[in-house]
């Protein structure tokens, strides 16, 4: 029986798939190992979204399970780059998974959740209306749609994610129902942990706090900025070599604030991520999903952040996913206990504007050993292992 905790991070291009294997004990006190799977998915647009990568990943997970069910599956949030893999495996590859326990982000419960939180419901409906407006406009536009916008549309597509979330909710072994979790959720005995200590740090139960204001209609000169600049549309002419019809379609897209609207919707879903701290034999690991600034701020405000030995970098290495102030809490410049620290980023260029952020990754690498899935073959993995004694050295290695 393995005496080391292992984190296996797969290269699924622009997405996440993480298998955590932990030495534990069962109800009778026998030594066992438990397997916790976080997400499986990737972007649906561009180079970061090729579905062919899932076959090798899902087959390896099945091999690791050796025909046993997962002990816990955690769906961090409802974005397609985190949820589409299991449904793809079932429908396209005939690979099925069951789990003894299911944890899903609180708001994915659907109507029952939003009936309890009417403010979140109002903001969610406004976000869906904004999404539909963007999708309808782009469907009629003659202009080529930038890949970053296509990725945002695909990742946030509510109909596609609905099917994937439903599939995940039905993965419980022997009809086990999901637990819809948040920071203050009481998970009772709906987990496999006995020696291992875990803390839910996010999301907040009422996700209305994660929705920013949908931007007003303005006209901007640059399509891909986070907030458009106001300009006089009559004074703008197409650049040389750019078709007038395409140019003015893009200008109308920008004038309606649609880019910023998509990013506002995207942030709200990212900030609803389940963030989990795991502590085993003195080693502390943190898995924040795709949390962005607002979620990190709330985790900090509720005194949830502590120094860790392993950090899964949030939101594929975006600047928003690793705010400097909060990074100083989980990966301070010097390790308080002098132990080695590890971080991993699962990312791919070309799927999402500005992601990964080179400065963010450089900062993390100055404080911890950083593994980057871009160095792996597609479907390959990193293993970071932590020994059962705190005075021994963790290791990182590439899979095949």
């Amino acid at each position: 029986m393995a005496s080391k905790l292992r984190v296996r991070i797969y290269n699924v291009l622009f997405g996440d798939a993480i298998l955590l294997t932990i030495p534990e004990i069962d109800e009778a006190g026998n030594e066992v190992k438990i397997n916790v799977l976080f997400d499986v998915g990737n972007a649906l647009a561009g180079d970061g979204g090729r579905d062919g990568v899932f076959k090798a990943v899902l087959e390896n997970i099945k091999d690791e399970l050796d025909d046993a069910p997962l002990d816990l599956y955690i769906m961090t949030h409802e974005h397609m780059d985190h949820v589409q893999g299991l449904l793809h495996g079932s429908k396209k590859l005939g690979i099925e998974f069951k789990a003894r326990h299911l944890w899903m982000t609180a708001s994915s419960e659907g109507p029952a959740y939003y009936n309890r939180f009417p403010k979140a419901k109002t903001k969610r409906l406004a976000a869906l209306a904004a999404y539909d407006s963007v999708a309808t406009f782009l469907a009629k536009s003659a202009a080529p749609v930038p890949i970053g916008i296509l990725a945002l549309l695909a990742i946030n597509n509510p109909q596609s994610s609905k099917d994937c979330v439903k599939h995940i909710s039905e993965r419980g072994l022997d009809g086990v129902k999901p637990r819809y979790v948040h920071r203050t959720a009481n998970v009772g005995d709906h987990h496999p942990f006995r020696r291992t200590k875990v803390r839910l740090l996010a999301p907040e139960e009422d996700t209305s706090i994660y929705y920013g204001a949908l931007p007003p209609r303005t006209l901007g000169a640059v399509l891909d900025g986070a907030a458009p600049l106001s300009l006089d549309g009559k004074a703008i002419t197409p650049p040389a070599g750019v078709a007038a019809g395409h140019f003015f379609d893009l200008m109308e897209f920008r004038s309606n604030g649609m880019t910023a609207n998509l990013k506002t919707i995207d942030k709200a879903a990212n900030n609803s991520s389940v963030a989990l701290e795991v502590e085993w034999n003195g080693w502390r690991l943190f898995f924040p999903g795709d949390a962005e600034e607002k979620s990190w701020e709330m985790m900090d405000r509720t005194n949830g952040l502590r120094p860790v030995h392993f950090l899964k970098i949030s939101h594929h290495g975006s600047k928003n996913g690793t705010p400097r102030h909060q990074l100083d809490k989980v990966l301070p410049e010097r390790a308080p206990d002098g132990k080695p620290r590890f971080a991993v980023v699962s990312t791919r260029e070309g799927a999402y504007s500005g992601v990964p952020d080179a400065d963010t990754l450089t900062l993390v690498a100055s404080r911890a050993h950083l593994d980057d899935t871009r160095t792996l073959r597609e479907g390959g993995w990193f293993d970071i292992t932590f020994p059962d004694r705190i005075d021994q050295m963790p290791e990182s290695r590439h899979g095949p």
Side-chain angles (χ1 to χ4, degrees):
M1 204 277 296
S3 60
K4 296 182 178 181
L5 179 150
R6 187 192 70 195
V7 186
R8 176 164 289 183
I9 301 96
Y10 295 92
N11 178 15
V12 288
L13 306 177
F14 192 90
D16 270 2
I18 303 171
L19 182 64
L20 175 63
T21 302
I22 309 175
E24 261 287 359
I25 56 173
D26 63 16
E27 293 178 351
N30 300 311
E31 298 286 332
V32 295
K33 66 177 181 179
I34 62 172
N35 290 291
V36 179
L37 181 61
F38 292 82
D39 296 331
V40 178
N42 65 18
L44 299 184
D47 191 49
R50 294 190 298 277
D51 289 345
V53 74
F54 290 130
K55 185 175 187 294
V57 170
L58 296 175
E59 287 180 345
N60 180 259
I61 295 171
K62 290 293 285 187
D63 289 344
E64 290 296 315
L65 295 175
D66 194 22
D67 292 328
L70 290 160
D71 294 283
L72 173 63
Y73 178 86
I74 299 176
M75 187 197 83
T76 61
H77 62 298
E78 297 179 71
H79 271 162
M80 290 297 287
D81 57 327
H82 291 253
V83 301
Q84 67 138 332
L86 296 194
L87 181 58
H88 175 87
S90 175
K91 293 178 69 173
K92 303 293 185 180
L93 304 173
I95 300 176
E96 299 284 353
F97 291 91
K98 288 289 186 178
R100 293 187 174 95
H101 303 283
L102 292 169
W103 287 4
M104 303 172 69
T105 188
S107 56
S108 66
E109 185 182 6
Y113 169 84
Y114 287 108
N115 287 339
R116 293 196 303 274
F117 295 96
K119 188 174 181 181
K121 180 178 182 179
T122 298
K123 293 193 173 186
R124 172 67 173 165
L125 289 174
L128 290 175
Y131 179 94
D132 288 343
S133 174
V134 173
T136 299
F137 173 83
L138 290 177
K140 296 178 180 178
S141 172
V145 182
I147 191 65
I149 300 301
L150 286 176
L152 279 171
L153 281 169
I155 287 170
N156 288 280
N157 186 312
Q159 186 54 54
S160 298
S161 61
K162 180 180 178 181
D163 295 339
C164 295
V165 170
K166 182 177 184 295
H167 179 78
I168 290 169
S169 73
E170 297 168 347
R171 296 306 90 203
L173 184 68
D174 298 328
V176 164
K177 300 298 183 184
R179 301 293 291 185
Y180 294 100
V181 299
H182 50 85
R183 179 175 61 85
T184 58
N186 179 7
V187 296
D189 59 355
H190 299 278
H191 62 81
F193 307 113
R194 290 182 172 83
R195 289 177 175 168
T196 307
K197 299 176 183 178
V198 298
R199 289 197 306 149
L200 283 162
L201 273 61
E204 295 300 302
E205 186 176 13
D206 184 354
T207 57
S208 66
I209 65 169
Y210 299 132
Y211 285 87
L214 293 171
R217 296 191 172 200
T218 53
L219 182 61
V222 182
L223 179 65
D224 209 26
L229 302 173
S230 295
L231 296 174
D232 180 3
K234 296 179 181 179
I236 300 173
T237 58
V242 177
H246 289 183
F247 177 77
F248 286 111
D249 270 352
L250 291 178
M251 294 309 295
E252 183 181 350
F253 177 86
R254 187 51 184 239
S255 72
N256 287 334
M258 294 182 187
T259 305
N261 281 352
L262 281 178
K263 291 185 176 182
T264 297
I265 296 165
D266 191 62
K267 280 179 178 289
N270 284 336
N271 281 322
S272 72
S273 289
V274 174
L276 186 70
E277 180 192 270
V278 175
E279 191 164 356
W280 177 83
N281 282 9
W283 300 108
R284 189 177 296 146
L285 301 82
F286 188 37
F287 303 87
D290 271 5
E292 295 195 45
E293 295 108 321
K294 186 63 177 180
S295 181
W296 281 100
E297 175 191 330
M298 293 303 299
M299 288 188 274
D300 194 8
R301 188 183 302 175
T302 55
N303 298 313
L305 300 177
R306 302 189 292 181
V308 301
H309 301 99
F310 170 85
L311 175 66
K312 179 266 178 187
I313 297 176
S314 180
H315 196 219
H316 316 289
S318 76
K319 183 177 181 180
N320 297 337
T322 309
R324 175 63 183 268
H325 177 72
Q326 284 76 30
L327 179 66
D328 289 343
K329 299 288 183 71
V330 295
L331 281 182
E333 290 188 27
R334 294 184 179 181
D337 61 2
K339 300 299 180 184
R341 298 176 296 181
F342 295 80
V344 66
V345 61
S346 179
T347 195
R348 184 83 170 191
E349 292 100 341
Y352 198 113
S353 177
V355 182
D357 178 67
D359 291 342
T360 295
L361 298 187
T362 298
L363 177 60
V364 172
S366 72
R367 302 182 180 192
H369 171 86
L370 176 63
D371 286 319
D372 187 327
T373 58
R374 290 174 294 175
T375 66
L376 295 170
R377 68 168 178 83
E378 294 182 12
W381 60 81
F382 290 114
D383 282 343
I384 296 96
T385 56
F386 292 86
D388 58 2
R389 288 172 44 185
I390 194 70
D391 60 344
Q392 296 177 334
M393 293 292 289
E395 297 177 337
S396 172
R397 68 176 184 86
H398 287 218

